[in-house]
Amino acid sequence: MEQYEPDRLSPARAAALRRSLTNGRAALTRRSLLRASAGGALAAGGALALGGCGIPPAGRTGGGTAAEDRSEEERTVTFSNWTEYMDVDDSGRRHPTLEAFTRRTGVKVTYNEDINDNSEFFGRIQAQLAAGQDTGRDLVVLTDWLAARLIRLGWVQKLDPANLPHAFANLSAQFRSPDWDPGRAYSYPWQGISTVVAYNREALDGIEVRSVSDLLDNPRLKGRVGFLTEMRDTMGMMLLDMGKDPARFSADDYDAAVARLQKGVDRGQIRRFTGNDYTSDLTRGDLAACLAWAGDIVQLRADNPDVGFVIPESGYITSSDNLLIPNRARHKTNAERLIDHYYEPRQAAELAAFINFVCPVDGVKDELARIDEDAAENPLIIPDRAMQAGSHSFRSLGAKEETACEEKFAKLTGA
């Protein structure tokens, strides 16, 4: 049983939060590459302030704490998600897949785009969860590391497989058993997020880029290479390139990867560490090659055919944003039915066609082809067997280990 301790953020972890809010994945919406998250920086202050408050300890309670499930008499479900992470119609006001769920089940969805950053959102709900109170949300979408934390603390409810037949049957193998939730007892992926090596063909001018080593070691790329400000993505790709498994690395492995990356910084090989703002540099050719998120590359390629990607032979890092039901949620069964709705291939295809991230649902390709043939053939959206085989996850970290890793990474990036 893990005891909850208030998050008194170390300088390194506070810096990591600032990076995420200013130029990490959280700084931009999921769909638009150039629209900043309103209110993120302001909300960060709240997260940091809550980190030092005296919240009483709470231990894991074997599957979370349920409220009385009022799903039958209250035909509703409240769903919190990231901005621009849901399909919309041409008016920009309606969500077709959510409306399809309501038509089929009679359950009305109160849909809120109120997650701009994992740490900021945790700061808003942690006091209620620690006190055993209802957060007012039946379903939330959180990235791997925060999902893992809530599961460890016993702050989310164990899912009922009887309400998840499509999810159980159609979950892609590469997402089935993360180390922080073996067998997906508490969570299901909303979308996958893959880190790949991207390039601008014109800027490369004939230079071949096939690996992270090429980014670091080719002198012709000096000053024209980018790495990501997100520690798990950059360090995971570094570990893979060095023949280490990001799911099982040691402290010495991590230090060796940091040292190698530091040499690239010292030599001026690396132009800078970036969040989503690499997209403009890559399109212009200021960056010839960089680490990138697959969802961005799908969008960039639509506008610039010179932008492409490679999957290194050593593999690539995949994380996921995950659906979870918080403790004391009032409509657990309705939330589980909504999760299952998105594991039906037709609904999954409509969502994938709009947001262009990695679809975690098997059997969706034919449905997606009816909507968008190019998307159905894109391995960044529907991974083929070779793509799935190259996928690796960065293992979960304990609080002390996470602080140590972030401190070393912050020193490396100058954060």
Side-chain angles (χ1 to χ4, degrees):
M1 180 175 71
E2 177 175 324
Q3 288 288 314
Y4 174 71
E5 295 179 0
D7 281 342
R8 293 178 175 84
L9 297 184
S10 69
R13 293 181 74 184
L17 170 57
R18 289 193 297 272
R19 287 199 306 274
S20 181
L21 288 168
T22 56
N23 66 355
R25 275 201 306 122
L28 301 180
T29 65
R30 302 300 201 196
R31 178 69 175 174
S32 170
L33 297 178
L34 298 176
R35 178 178 154 198
S37 299
L42 291 175
L48 294 174
L50 277 171
C53 70
I55 300 172
R60 181 164 179 169
T61 56
T65 306
E68 179 186 357
D69 190 352
R70 304 185 66 83
S71 292
E72 282 299 320
E73 57 266 40
E74 297 177 3
R75 307 292 286 168
T76 186
V77 61
T78 301
F79 182 10
S80 284
N81 202 351
W82 298 71
T83 55
E84 305 288 344
Y85 216 14
M86 178 66 73
D87 57 303
V88 298
D89 67 2
D90 291 340
S91 73
R93 294 188 298 271
R94 299 171 60 185
H95 303 294
T97 57
L98 288 176
E99 292 186 356
F101 175 75
T102 298
R103 285 195 303 271
R104 292 173 55 189
T105 65
V107 175
K108 181 181 178 181
V109 181
T110 300
Y111 183 70
N112 299 311
E113 293 184 333
D114 58 349
I115 303 178
N116 293 306
D117 172 79
N118 285 289
S119 294
E120 174 267 328
F121 186 72
F122 180 65
R124 278 196 277 150
I125 64 174
Q126 65 177 0
Q128 293 165 298
L129 290 171
Q133 299 172 352
D134 179 15
T135 66
R137 300 166 176 88
D138 300 303
L139 193 62
V140 298
V141 177
L142 300 174
T143 306
D144 287 350
W145 65 268
L146 184 53
R149 180 187 295 182
L150 265 63
I151 291 169
R152 286 198 309 268
L153 291 166
W155 286 359
V156 294
Q157 297 187 53
K158 194 169 186 178
L159 301 173
D160 183 351
N163 294 326
L164 297 159
H166 296 98
F168 181 81
N170 296 334
L171 176 59
S172 174
Q174 75 178 102
F175 295 104
R176 277 199 174 268
S177 196
D179 67 345
W180 48 269
D181 187 15
R184 292 288 182 179
Y186 297 89
S187 69
Y188 270 89
W190 175 247
Q191 296 292 293
I193 305 161
S194 296
T195 304
V196 299
V197 174
Y199 60 83
N200 182 311
R201 185 179 292 103
E202 183 178 4
L204 284 179
D205 192 25
I207 301 171
E208 185 176 53
V209 171
R210 301 183 63 84
S211 68
V212 173
S213 289
D214 290 336
L215 300 183
L216 287 172
D217 299 336
N218 191 326
R220 294 174 62 191
L221 293 176
K222 183 176 181 179
R224 299 192 296 140
V225 165
F227 283 74
L228 294 167
T229 55
E230 295 291 337
M231 180 270 287
R232 289 165 176 80
D233 296 314
T234 285
M235 296 309 299
M237 293 294 282
M238 287 295 299
L239 288 162
L240 285 170
D241 190 70
M242 297 172 68
K244 303 298 181 180
D245 185 350
R248 294 178 176 83
F249 68 89
S250 66
D252 287 343
D253 295 334
Y254 186 90
D255 289 347
V258 167
R260 185 171 179 228
L261 199 54
Q262 184 68 59
K263 291 179 180 178
V265 172
D266 295 342
R267 293 197 314 268
Q269 183 78 5
I270 299 171
R271 181 184 182 92
R272 66 192 185 101
F273 290 84
T274 71
N276 283 88
D277 51 330
Y278 68 77
T279 56
S280 56
D281 287 350
L282 187 64
T283 300
R284 288 194 306 265
D286 294 340
L287 287 174
C290 62
L291 296 187
W293 291 301
D296 292 344
I297 302 308
V298 173
Q299 295 295 317
L300 292 180
R301 292 183 72 183
D303 298 323
N304 186 342
D306 283 327
V307 172
F309 74 97
V310 295
I311 301 298
E313 288 188 8
S314 59
Y316 66 102
I317 291 293
T318 298
S319 59
S320 58
D321 288 327
N322 307 279
L323 296 152
L324 305 104
I325 300 175
N327 280 359
R328 299 294 183 184
R330 290 166 56 90
H331 310 105
K332 180 175 183 286
T333 297
N334 290 342
E336 289 167 337
R337 294 178 71 185
L338 184 57
I339 294 172
D340 200 59
H341 174 72
Y342 282 101
Y343 275 81
E344 296 184 42
R346 181 176 179 180
Q347 311 303 329
E350 289 192 30
L351 183 65
F354 188 83
I355 62 178
N356 295 158
F357 279 76
V358 180
C359 181
V361 182
D362 277 345
V364 77
K365 186 173 182 177
D366 289 345
E367 290 286 348
L368 183 56
R370 295 186 180 97
I371 303 169
D372 186 336
E373 290 185 4
D374 290 340
E377 296 300 325
N378 191 330
L380 297 182
I381 300 174
I382 307 295
D384 54 24
R385 288 185 179 180
M387 187 88 175
Q388 289 187 22
S391 173
H392 297 266
S393 298
F394 195 96
R395 68 173 172 82
S396 55
L397 303 172
K400 290 182 179 179
E401 188 178 23
E402 183 178 32
T403 297
C405 287
E406 286 287 8
E407 285 177 346
K408 293 168 184 177
F409 190 69
K411 182 177 180 182
L412 171 73
T413 61

